[in-house]
Amino acid sequence: MQSERYFIGLDLGGTAIKFGICSKQGEIVQEFQQPTRADKPVKTILEDLAHAIQTAQEFAKQHQLPVAAVGMGTPGSVDVECGYLRGNTPNFKHWKDVKIKQYLEEKSQLPLWVDNDANMMAFGEATFGAGKGFSHVVCVTLGTGIGGGIIVDKELFRGSNYAGGEIGHMSIKFDGEPCRCGGIGCWELYASATAMIKNYHLKSGDTSIRSTKEIFEKYYNNETIAREVVEQEIEMAAVGVANILNIFNPQMVIIGGGVSESGDWFIEQIATEAKKRAMLPSSEGVKIVRAKLGNSAGWLGAAAFACHRLEE
Ligand SMILES: [Zn+2]
């Protein structure tokens, strides 16, 4: 009888390294967290990551869990085949041009795969979360910005140069605001949590509001401005989702991030609006649902990805 194999996943974030051990089916055995020293040199961050893997390996050893491979998500553009991080990681001071796979495989003595963190999160939701059992899934994270990942036929879509899938930077307003990416009128400028808060500030003049949660509370209390802001958010989110439906014709769109925590009713309204705008038959039968894995999606996705690659 072949014994169950386990996987370690890591999610390198701007403030914390979230990591854990899970089974092949995505059952969480143990979760860990340690702070990220984002302003430190590359070597320090690599050592911290190696330490995280070691922590998980020791736990696995104590509990007699055979670990088969490690997966990791990092901000930035990653050459997945050689596990090389090119760069573009604004929250980190020096984190670019790093041979992540080479260093961590040597330290851990385990096969290891690295990809972009948004891709890993999407892969986690598609494999173990809301998208379990589906082959064509697009994940959208409505957070500080808008991130996401595209899964076509069970594989992540990355483009020719590992730079694709930047759904937050599709332009929805040709003469809109300039974006940090160099584009104009990008979706995230209108439908992210940041955009929603900014919209509330503009409409109300009250800049003490710091979270979308506060805006939703005011919405539930029937405050006129909060209602306008939430309605506009639904419209703006739906515009982008409709574009996604027309281009990718997915079976499912999974919406996560801070804004989605307001509840299923909010996702349902985005779905209704998006379907009105999208073409048939892409708008027919598509499921538009809320993400399930929360903060664990990143490391779970990385673990799922390692399992997926190992089996190839
Ligand atoms: Zn942009």
Side-chain angles (χ1 to χ4, degrees), residues 7 9-10 25 29 39 46 74 84 90 94 111 118 137 156-157 160 194 196 229 237 245 261:
F7 295 85
L10 293 101
Q25 288 74 33
V29 177
D39 56 337
L46 281 175
T74 170
Y84 178 78
H94 310 284
V137 178
L156 275 160
F157 169 84
S160 62
T194 312
M196 202 175 155
V229 170
L245 297 185
E261 281 158 26

Side-chain angles (χ1 to χ4, degrees), residues 26 32 58 61 91 99 102 128 177 181 256:
F32 310 86
E58 277 165 13
K61 205 176 165 189
N91 294 326
K99 291 174 181 165
Q102 196 186 342
F128 297 145
E177 293 172 52
C181 73

Side-chain angles (χ1 to χ4, degrees), residues 51-62:
H51 179 259
I53 297 172
Q54 201 190 346
T55 305
Q57 277 179 303
E58 277 165 13
F59 181 95
K61 205 176 165 189
Q62 276 166 19

Side-chain angles (χ1 to χ4, degrees), residues 51-301:
H51 179 259
I53 297 172
Q54 201 190 346
T55 305
Q57 277 179 303
E58 277 165 13
F59 181 95
K61 205 176 165 189
Q62 276 166 19
H63 295 80
Q64 294 169 330
L65 309 168
V67 176
V70 184
M72 181 188 146
T74 170
S77 148
V78 181
D79 179 331
V80 179
E81 298 322 313
C82 55
Y84 178 78
L85 169 78
R86 291 211 173 90
N88 191 19
T89 52
N91 294 326
F92 289 76
K93 216 168 166 186
H94 310 284
W95 192 237
K96 66 172 191 174
D97 304 325
V98 192
K99 291 174 181 165
I100 301 176
K101 181 180 167 80
Q102 196 186 342
Y103 180 89
L104 293 177
E105 275 190 340
E106 209 178 296
K107 285 276 176 189
S108 67
Q109 295 294 308
L110 284 167
L112 182 140
W113 285 274
V114 191
D115 197 353
N116 169 266
D117 54 356
N119 278 349
M120 294 293 80
M121 207 184 284
F123 202 73
E125 279 294 345
T127 313
F128 297 145
K132 204 171 177 173
F134 293 88
S135 310
H136 301 274
V137 178
V138 179
C139 289
V140 178
T141 310
L142 303 174
T144 312
I146 296 183
I150 299 152
I151 287 127
V152 179
D153 226 351
K154 292 199 178 260
E155 292 286 343
L156 275 160
F157 169 84
R158 301 185 179 86
S160 62
N161 208 13
Y162 305 104
E166 289 286 353
I167 54 172
H169 297 279
M170 69 170 126
S171 181
I172 62 164
K173 200 166 191 294
F174 81 94
D175 58 351
E177 293 172 52
C179 180
R180 65 190 166 95
C181 73
I184 288 170
C186 294
W187 189 27
E188 74 168 29
L189 297 172
Y190 302 95
S192 62
T194 312
M196 202 175 155
I197 294 165
K198 203 172 145 193
N199 195 14
Y200 188 87
H201 291 174
L202 273 173
K203 283 189 191 305
S204 68
D206 174 4
T207 54
S208 69
I209 296 293
R210 289 273 165 265
S211 69
T212 54
K213 199 174 166 222
E214 291 167 82
I215 300 171
F216 279 104
E217 275 162 17
K218 288 182 183 292
Y219 173 89
Y220 294 128
N221 287 328
N222 258 322
E223 192 204 86
T224 312
I225 291 169
R227 293 198 80 87
E228 274 176 35
V229 170
V230 169
E231 275 155 26
Q232 196 173 330
E233 171 65 22
I234 290 165
E235 199 77 23
M236 291 294 175
V239 172
V241 172
N243 289 340
I244 288 169
L245 297 185
N246 285 343
I247 297 168
F248 296 103
N249 178 211
Q251 294 163 302
M252 179 181 273
V253 177
I254 303 174
I255 301 178
V259 179
S260 73
E261 281 158 26
S262 50
D264 287 331
W265 67 269
F266 177 72
I267 305 297
E268 280 160 20
Q269 294 219 22
I270 294 174
T272 307
E273 280 305 310
K275 285 178 186 175
K276 270 189 219 162
R277 288 168 180 265
M279 289 163 72
L280 284 169
S282 291
S283 60
E284 229 173 21
V286 63
K287 293 179 167 57
I288 300 173
V289 300
R290 192 145 68 109
K292 265 188 183 169
L293 303 178
N295 280 335
S296 307
W299 78 258
L300 274 172

